[in-house]
């Protein structure tokens, strides 16, 4: 079978290897589509390194082609699935607190969370979420990032009728936006890139803010919320101004979730006394649990959230290099690789 | 190794078989203690049958003696564990909704939820909850029923300062009581057996009611709650009067959980209009999830709930018949078998 | 000022009285629109009686025209408001448990929850919820029934991506539907009236069921949910078959809310053991709290839920008799009286 | 009647004035006991000033002696009450979000939140929480600080079996500790004052940490939690080291509540990336709602939490100066004034 191997900085190539066989408890999945997320981009550019050569890819959909022994779940050959390529031991303190996304053993030796830029992949049965046949497999490749967005939105406890500010209008910001609109909230998008804000408008956001003009933005939020501020914020951008704005336009008891992963250890642009007096709630979210993943599957299956307009380009596996380059461009949202 | 085989109605005997070996992902556990729960009692009397002969036992503690390949969790040989002998596929709709206790595949072929009345047992790593060494293993054998009680209490959303009525003062009712007292609530115990109510008093309940005198009991609840009724009820008894009382003494918006398993299909002793007008909440609970189990482990490990006074007798494995007979007596709470 | 007095069975007339003055803590509101709800209809037909003559009307919007002494809230003359004509003492056990809709003192002497079919009305400041000026006052007259629907939906804990069955496609069923769709769920409407189901389809429901064919409906639900059943149900119809269907098509751990008020004391069409084994959750909801009311205000203000198509007819106050007759017709949804 | 007037820095004296009469909706309460909280101490020393002369006092219990017109609640002359001297308009966005402690109008002109260091006081009916007669009125004077502690604990979502770290072992820290122990958690107390830690031990805490030795404390927490850290923390001390320790010993997904009011605007001793990666939750709490207050009443009424050992001294109203001086001493917890 063919796989895309990253072999060095800005080097990726197709190599052939033997098709794997499902061990006990495993399924063999023929990959259909795989997204190129920030992690894949960083592995490609060399900004991040795990080991070399490496087959990346963790946002994937596909079809079950073989079932190993001892699988007691409902999976059948031919089923369409979205892959939740995370390791969850189900018995560490984090898994047993309902936070399997923080599983202590998720990076233990011998486990993998990448590898979907390949024609076939073996996964544990619990990693393959069943999909209805009428959900296009290219849409299903966005299940994973949508699941992370849903976890993030659940952290702020978004309620029907509230107003949400999302800082950062990239793929992740827009996925948050689509899910939040589907939950019956008003969504204000904030970014420094006017093109992205126009896209956000086309996709239905309630209002947009230019992040480069903080004072104007603060006033706009006031106007939009009768002077009260937004009920909650999600930060999907690493820009320092994004966090600063978010902490300035919240209503009393406002909730903010830090979705983005920062380089280094940036300080909070707010003090402890204000958090105390205003009863703010600050949370972080990292990845997703299997329950978040399931919610994303349901939302996509029900057509409650549509992701077609977030798929900027689709390349065949053989054009993996072009796909990587396209994903790195500022004007693209998600770039998919069509593997099958 | 020795195991206790139920071979027919009121027939149980010790047989020898080869010690099992842990397969991939499994642990070999030397059983320390195993409780004789209602299920074991019914299998012994023949009131219920699965297949014969059968090795029963599902409330167990023990020590890890071997670890199979591919175990990525933190278990080590010598660790003490409480066994959560349930099957959870982690990928069916119930598991993915946070209700792994209702896993669609929990009774699928090839899986077992019994077998702890035996010197050794292989379990999947996720079924073995780690215990601190200073928790007596005989206490740990009550983790499973405590976990079921905690799930039940979580269903009614018990809050500090509330008043709870528990109908039925057997082992399960008393476990509920101990956990509810630990949560800072007042607990009223109700039973028809005066001896059990005396025990409940000795173990710290706030008040007791004689279930055979419903009118008196209703008045007592009023007196105890300034006429308002209890905030919530748990029904652990199959007696019809238990449910009737519970539905009559609830405060507005009261919550009631049906913990007990009924024979047949008993009707509700309340009408739909009253539930509507009073905003009652009725739930059921069945078994426990791994998260409930973990909460029970923590509560026992912290000595927040003590269970020593609920262990009526302990018999060695060779005296399994005596143990079964003792468990059937009305005056015993939990009877344990010391296996090791 | 003019008011509509119900003076006997099927008798209503306009009478004149002196305009009231706001006491301490009160506002004087000029009523704009008032809906004719089931309660007004029953008072008019004589099916229900409080005292005679009576000025009914409790679903109302209007404008503040005077403010009494000692009002410390933000209200100003000229503000548009939706009226929450409920009494909440804020100090009884129900109010202090977050269930002010069940306030022990809500019907105490000297308080009123009706009277909006009148040109002016005095209300306590806390009963007047501020509205943005761009929300049409006729839409605002539906705030109260929408608030009751939102409470009902909150009782079942509806989550993004779930499937909800609503039994009864009248005004209340459709309001539930609109709010549930806004929350990102699939909504299946069930009724015996084909015209109403067509309206539900036009307003965006996911699927419809003919309540007169229970077996067909059960199969349809299975087809729509991969055989699993719906996550939750709301019953807005008093028909016995509605409840029976709802209890038969729920997924494990399904939640059902009894929204409708029944005549008499109908039995549950389900037994206690099934609720226990399946972990069903049954709740009731009655009225709304001020928090529910506020959520309805926000949803209408944000245009998240539109109610224009639920307003069947609008009559001037002088045509109150025609309005009552129109409201009683089966083909109308909400009939409003334009008071101003 | 007699009242204690603060007339300047370190100046307090008894003055006489006419007994007030209850207006519409008000009760006249004969004050029994009033605590001297930090606010009273600061007003006395001049560290804080509102206006002069001022009658302070906001932690009070008493007896209803007269009822104004238009009171529709259940209050009766002779009832014992705990006073919730807060203003809640019930109609601002904060009140309508369930956060009446942040009511926009709570400090509006003409409203008061002090005044209980006086023989009589008029309050709105909703400010007087009914008490059982067998609860000593001196204990009831601690309802308000207990209510604030309960709100704080509810912010971290404390669950049975968890481990809580409380930084600061003064009156407020110990009240948190007592409530948290009552909820079935392990509580680790941290302070720089060895005497206070000994008191905490006497009152039942699980372990104590010396705040002056951070490294040792971090190791102790690890030992107490199998290396994992505490599930949650409450900060009741303004010491910078307190916050630093709290942020260093949390388990993944740990929750921390900032209960203390800081001078100035201290920075967070943690960075945004760590909050993101570890999914920490940071909240603040300020005051209490009527629902928190009711929970405190219930906990005291049920004897679930005892506060006798937190009342260091009781002085008659005529000895108000001695009471103030005693309250300022480091070795006292709560000092009460016996007014009646």
């Amino acid at each position: 079978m063919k796989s895309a191997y990253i072999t060095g900085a800005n080097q990726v190539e197709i190599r052939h290897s033997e098709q794997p066989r499902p061990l006990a408890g495993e399924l063999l999945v023929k990959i259909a589509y795989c997204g190129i997320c920030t992690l894949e981009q960083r592995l490609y550019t060399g900004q991040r390194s795990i080991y070399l050569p490496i087959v990346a890819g963790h946002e994937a959909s596909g079809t079950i082609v073989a079932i190993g022994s001892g699988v007691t779940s409902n999976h059948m050959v031919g089923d369409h699935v979205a892959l939740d390529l995370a390791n969850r031991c189900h018995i560490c303190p984090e898994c047993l607190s309902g936070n399997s996304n923080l599983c202590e053993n998720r990076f233990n030796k011998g486990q993998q969370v990448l590898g979907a830029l390949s024609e076939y992949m073996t996964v544990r049965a619990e990693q393959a979420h069943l999909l209805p046949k009428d959900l296009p497999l290219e849409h299903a490749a966005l299940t994973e990032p949508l699941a992370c967005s849903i976890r993030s939105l659940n952290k702020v406890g978004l309620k029907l009728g509230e107003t949400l500010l999302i800082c950062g209008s990239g793929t992740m910001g827009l996925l948050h936006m689509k899910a939040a609109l589907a939950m019956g909230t008003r969504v204000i998008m904030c970014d420094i890139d006017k093109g992205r804000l126009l896209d956000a408008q086309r996709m239905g956001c309630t209002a947009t803010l230019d992040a480069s003009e903080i004072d104007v933005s603060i006033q706009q939020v006031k106007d939009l919320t009768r002077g009260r501020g937004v009920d909650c914020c999600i930060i999907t951008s690493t820009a320092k101004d994004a966090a600063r704005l978010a902490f300035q336009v919240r209503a009393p008891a406002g909730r903010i979730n830090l979705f983005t992963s920062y380089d280094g250890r940036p300080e909070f642009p707010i003090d402890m006394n204000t958090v105390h007096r205003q009863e703010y709630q600050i949370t972080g979210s990292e990845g997703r649990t299997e329950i978040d993943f399931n919610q994303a599957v349901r939302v996509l299956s029900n057509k409650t959230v549509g992701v077609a307009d977030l798929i900027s380009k689709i390349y065949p596996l053989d054009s993996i290099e072009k796909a990587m380059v396209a994903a790195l461009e500022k004007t693209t949202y998600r770039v998919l690789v069509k593997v099958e």
Side-chain angles (χ1 to χ4, degrees), chain A:
Chain A
M1 67 170 188
K2 295 191 284 187
S3 307
Y5 283 81
I6 294 169
T7 57
N10 298 308
Q11 291 182 314
V12 62
E13 61 186 53
I14 300 298
R15 293 187 184 177
H16 290 76
S17 62
E18 209 174 338
Q19 183 177 313
R21 290 185 192 173
L23 302 178
E26 291 187 343
L27 310 174
L28 178 65
V29 175
K30 188 173 191 325
I31 303 298
Y33 292 88
C34 181
I36 297 181
C37 175
T38 310
L39 176 59
E40 278 75 30
Q41 295 170 31
R42 291 181 180 167
L43 289 170
Y44 173 66
T45 61
Q47 190 182 343
R48 184 156 167 203
S49 180
I50 303 177
Y51 53 81
L52 287 176
I54 189 170
V55 181
H58 68 287
E59 299 182 355
S61 62
T63 304
I64 299 174
V65 290
I67 297 180
S69 64
V71 170
T72 59
S73 54
N74 302 320
H75 297 90
M76 305 211 328
V77 168
D79 281 346
H80 286 187
V81 292
L83 299 186
D84 176 30
L85 294 177
N87 298 305
R88 316 183 188 282
C89 78
H90 304 298
I91 194 67
C92 73
E94 309 336 315
C95 283
L96 292 174
S97 305
N99 298 312
S100 65
N101 56 315
L102 302 177
C103 173
E104 278 184 9
N105 300 302
R106 66 193 187 279
F107 300 126
N108 278 8
K109 200 179 158 187
Q111 299 185 122
Q112 65 175 22
V113 293
L114 294 173
L117 283 167
S118 191
E119 284 185 300
Y120 293 91
M121 189 173 183
T122 52
V123 299
R124 289 193 303 285
E126 69 180 66
Q127 295 178 311
H129 286 249
L130 290 170
L131 303 173
K133 286 278 166 69
D134 63 351
L135 175 67
L137 283 166
E138 58 265 40
H139 296 181
L142 277 89
T143 308
E144 194 271 349
L146 178 60
C148 295
S149 304
I150 286 175
R151 179 171 192 79
S152 175
L153 291 167
N154 287 343
K155 283 278 175 188
V156 296
L158 206 57
K159 283 196 288 281
L160 176 73
E162 292 194 322
T163 301
L164 169 71
L165 170 67
I166 298 176
C167 296
S169 190
T171 309
M172 295 314 302
L174 292 168
L175 273 172
H176 275 85
M177 181 194 80
K178 284 165 170 276
L181 288 171
M183 291 163 89
T185 63
R186 295 202 302 173
V187 181
I188 304 173
M189 297 301 293
C190 177
D191 204 293
I192 207 162
D193 183 317
K194 285 182 178 54
R196 293 189 162 192
L197 292 179
L198 281 173
D199 288 339
Q201 280 171 17
R202 267 194 294 271
M203 296 181 199
C205 77
T206 311
T208 59
L209 303 179
D210 183 338
S212 59
E213 302 195 36
I214 285 217
D215 290 344
V216 175
S217 292
I218 290 174
Q219 188 55 48
Q220 279 179 277
V221 170
K222 283 191 180 164
D223 293 346
L224 285 161
T225 59
R226 299 199 221 174
R228 188 167 174 258
V230 296
D231 299 287
C232 32
C233 309
I234 307 274
I235 300 184
T236 71
S237 157
T238 55
K240 287 197 173 175
D241 283 352
R244 189 166 300 120
L245 176 66
F247 278 102
Q248 284 188 25
V249 298
R250 286 202 295 174
R255 298 96 69 194
I256 192 163
N257 188 55
L258 305 175
F259 177 80
T260 194
S261 174
Y262 291 94
D263 284 331
R265 302 180 161 275
E267 287 182 3
F268 274 92
I270 194 169
D271 66 285
M272 291 201 289
N273 202 32
T274 302
V275 170
H276 157 69
R277 281 188 300 104
Q278 297 287 326
E279 291 203 341
Y280 288 148
Q281 176 182 294
I282 302 167
T283 53
S285 73
E286 157 71 32
R288 75 287 166 189
T289 66
E290 66 274 35
I291 290 176
D292 303 318
F293 203 97
N294 178 51
Q295 202 174 359
V297 165
R298 295 189 76 173
V299 164
L300 288 173
S301 301
N302 294 354
K303 323 285 185 212
T304 303
V305 167
V307 292
D309 47 8
L310 289 177
I311 301 172
S312 295
K313 289 180 185 171
I314 303 182
Y315 292 89
L317 182 57
D318 288 331
S319 305
I320 181 66
E321 191 167 355
K322 285 187 185 166
M324 286 291 185
V325 171
L328 286 166
E329 285 166 18
K330 280 210 163 181
T331 53
T332 54
Y333 295 111
R334 199 52 100 229
V335 169
L336 298 187
V337 174
K338 186 177 184 196
V339 182
E340 61 186 355

